[in-house]
Amino acid sequence: MVIKVFLATSSGSTAIKKKQQDVVAFLEALKVEYAQLDIACNEQNRMWMRQNVPEEKKPSNGIPLPPQIFNEESYCGDYETFFDAKEDNAVYSFLGLAAPPGSKEAMQADEEQHIVENGTHADESNEEGAADDSIGEEFLEETREEVAE
């Protein structure tokens, strides 16, 4: 799957340029495969992006501004939703990609799965297990003392 980032290479808006650079730099840092599709110089890219941004995600004037992010044909979001996902350590989910092992997002998903399966946090169950072990050791010691008497 290729992530598509629709952007305007000749935008006069510094805010748009900064947002585009932020998205691209973050994808590069994560080593996510992506394609930059220019809407300023390519009418087909501009029309495809405008037609494929869901109606509920379009601004009141109906024209979505770059950057707009897609996973192949599936709409991921705009800069604001990307930024929110970044803040929540959920960029891979936002992009519709599996988080690589060891990433914060993968560790959070593992923790959530553990809670669903066991009803406790992984670190809580370890602490409870440690407490159970010490109680078991105390019981075993008392039993040994009783047998020895």
Side-chain angles (χ1 to χ4, degrees), residues 17-56:
K17 287 179 184 177
K18 186 176 179 184
K19 290 175 181 179
Q20 293 175 160
Q21 290 171 343
D22 187 28
V23 170
V24 168
F26 199 77
L27 293 176
E28 287 177 2
L30 293 178
K31 296 180 173 57
V32 170
E33 185 179 339
Y34 70 96
Q36 294 183 39
L37 301 167
D38 188 9
I39 64 168
C41 298
N42 186 315
E43 185 65 26
Q44 286 179 317
N45 287 344
R46 179 179 22 241
M47 294 308 296
W48 191 94
M49 181 195 79
R50 288 182 178 177
Q51 290 170 354
N52 288 283
V53 170
E55 285 300 319
E56 65 274 7

Side-chain angles (χ1 to χ4, degrees), residues 91-106:
V91 173
Y92 291 102
S93 297
F94 167 80
L95 295 172
L97 301 173
S103 67
K104 285 183 180 180
E105 192 169 341

Side-chain angles (χ1 to χ4, degrees), residues 42-102:
N42 186 315
E43 185 65 26
Q44 286 179 317
N45 287 344
R46 179 179 22 241
M47 294 308 296
W48 191 94
M49 181 195 79
R50 288 182 178 177
Q51 290 170 354
N52 288 283
V53 170
E55 285 300 319
E56 65 274 7
K57 301 294 182 175
K58 290 182 180 177
S60 57
N61 69 2
I63 300 171
L65 296 174
Q68 296 291 330
I69 306 160
F70 290 79
N71 182 332
E72 294 293 340
E73 311 298 312
S74 299
Y75 182 70
C76 298
D78 58 7
Y79 177 77
E80 283 71 27
T81 52
F82 171 80
F83 182 82
D84 291 343
K86 190 168 89 166
E87 290 293 307
D88 294 338
N89 291 318
V91 173
Y92 291 102
S93 297
F94 167 80
L95 295 172
L97 301 173

Side-chain angles (χ1 to χ4, degrees), residues 134-147:
S134 65
I135 292 170
E137 288 172 16
E138 289 173 16
F139 176 75
L140 186 58
E141 189 62 35
E142 288 173 9
T143 306
R144 284 184 189 144
E145 290 173 4
E146 288 175 6
V147 170

